[in-house]
Amino acid sequence: MLSSQYAGNVSRWSEVAGLTNVERETADPQPPVTTAEELEARKARRAERRQKQREANDLRAAKMHDHRMAAERTGLPETPPGKGKVHVGCSGWYYWHWNGRFYPADLPRNQWFPHYRERFRTVELNAPFYSWPTVAAVKTWLRQADDGFVYTVKVCELITHIKRFEGTDELVRDFGYIADLLGAHMGCFLFQLPPSVRYSPETLDSILHQLDPRRRNVVEFRHKSWWDDTVFKKFEAAGAIFCSTSGPRLPDQLVKTADDVYVRFHGTKQWYRHDYSDEELSDWVDRIKASGAKRVWAYFNNDRDANAIKNAETLSRLFKAQKVMR
């Protein structure tokens, strides 16, 4: 049984370009639910689709492994630094409840990403968390990105939630092949751990040992036990980025463990629905400016009521006004 928070995440994922029919059906905007029976039927269909996705992930990972091994014979580059020092965007871009709010009601869905791209120069892709991307899907991302657009990619749950970093060294390297395909359009890899994973020295060492230092790796924890100086120091030694998380019941703290800082805005008291005030965002800008970071990655996951859009635009404006890292 999925927790209510995790089940909510399942219904919120985005990016449909290059996905299979099963994934596209899951991501497609749905009409409002009007009865309890319709709600239960939709939950059942979603659970069935999720199971199919999970069953397919092992096969997709194996195929990407083959691609990576073939590419390694010619040598793999490090993830390039990317253009720009301030990257602000949203966690996903394909949400049915943005239709008529952010996307014009008459705008075809195949034009949604170009519309998003006009307003933001980066996006955090959430769909790969649920379904391991194919090489064809990654090439689709490449085609739809113009010069200077950067993707951050959320790592598949096969690594972080199903296997929980146990025996996943090879899988982490295979997923990292996405960076080689994206090249200059690659931002960060986001590894999100479930709230049930609490701090232990063994778990920390296992995670950091498996991260590829050639990549820009971000780890997001959902349990407060990870906010600890011992953890921060080990992240610094590994060159990994500790994700600063604005979320309910988590420390309200900017953590800098590398040249880059990474912040995810979920909401302060309620997941995904909070509308950040200018004062709240100004406080984050002040912290980031004082941190001495060379680059900042900030993504808004409070997609309900399209708050993510206006909050991301406000944060970008505040960064420019204070000339942060320009």
Side-chain angles (χ1 to χ4, degrees), residues 81-88 121-122 148 150 188 216 259-262 288 292-298 319 323-326:
K83 297 180 180 179
K85 297 180 180 179
V86 177
H87 306 270
V88 179
R121 306 306 300 152
T122 186
V150 178
C188 306
R216 195 175 296 109
D259 289 339
D260 299 47
V261 293
Y262 195 105
I288 292 169
K294 293 183 179 179
R295 277 182 298 272
V296 58
W297 308 81
F319 275 131
K323 299 181 179 179
V324 176
M325 289 175 273
R326 293 184 63 184

Side-chain angles (χ1 to χ4, degrees), residues 79 124 128 141 151-156 172-180 182 186-192 211-212 214-220 241 262:
T79 302
E124 186 183 80
W141 304 343
Y151 294 103
T152 277
V153 185
K154 190 173 179 181
V155 175
C156 186
V172 171
R173 289 193 290 271
D174 293 338
F175 198 88
Y177 180 57
I178 292 171
D180 302 313
L182 289 178
M186 181 68 203
C188 306
F189 281 118
L190 172 66
F191 297 82
Q192 180 197 305
L211 300 182
D212 186 342
R214 296 178 302 121
R215 314 301 186 191
R216 195 175 296 109
N217 300 301
V218 182
V219 183
E220 181 187 31
I241 304 167
Y262 195 105

Side-chain angles (χ1 to χ4, degrees), residues 51-124:
Q51 183 58 36
K52 289 181 179 179
Q53 289 167 345
R54 285 176 171 159
E55 291 171 356
N57 280 339
D58 285 312
L59 178 60
R60 288 183 168 204
K63 289 182 177 179
M64 187 162 284
H65 172 80
D66 292 340
H67 284 286
R68 178 178 70 85
M69 297 306 292
E72 280 189 351
R73 299 189 188 103
T74 60
L76 294 176
E78 292 187 3
T79 302
K83 297 180 180 179
K85 297 180 180 179
V86 177
H87 306 270
V88 179
C90 299
S91 299
W93 55 271
Y94 196 94
Y95 296 106
W96 67 265
H97 49 278
W98 286 6
N99 192 27
R101 287 188 171 125
F102 174 57
Y103 299 116
D106 59 350
L107 186 69
R109 292 178 196 171
N110 62 6
Q111 293 301 307
W112 281 15
F113 186 81
H115 184 84
Y116 175 92
R117 194 182 59 206
E118 289 177 1
R119 302 276 281 275
F120 301 102
R121 306 306 300 152
T122 186
V123 68
E124 186 183 80

Side-chain angles (χ1 to χ4, degrees), residues 2 10 22 26 44-57 130 157 162:
L2 295 173
V10 169
V22 169
T26 308
R45 290 194 299 270
R46 183 182 300 130
E48 181 180 359
R49 288 193 291 265
R50 289 289 292 119
Q51 183 58 36
K52 289 181 179 179
Q53 289 167 345
R54 285 176 171 159
E55 291 171 356
N57 280 339
Y130 300 101
E157 65 172 352
I162 306 301

Side-chain angles (χ1 to χ4, degrees), residues 296-314:
V296 58
W297 308 81
Y299 295 98
F300 287 83
N301 203 24
N302 55 331
D303 61 90
R304 296 300 180 184
D305 303 315
N307 288 328
I309 296 295
K310 65 176 181 178
N311 291 166
E313 290 182 330
T314 297

Side-chain angles (χ1 to χ4, degrees), residues 3 19 29 91 99 124 131 181 200 226 245 261 266:
S3 69
L19 301 183
S91 299
N99 192 27
E124 186 183 80
S131 187
L181 294 171
S200 76
W226 290 94
T245 307
V261 293
H266 302 288

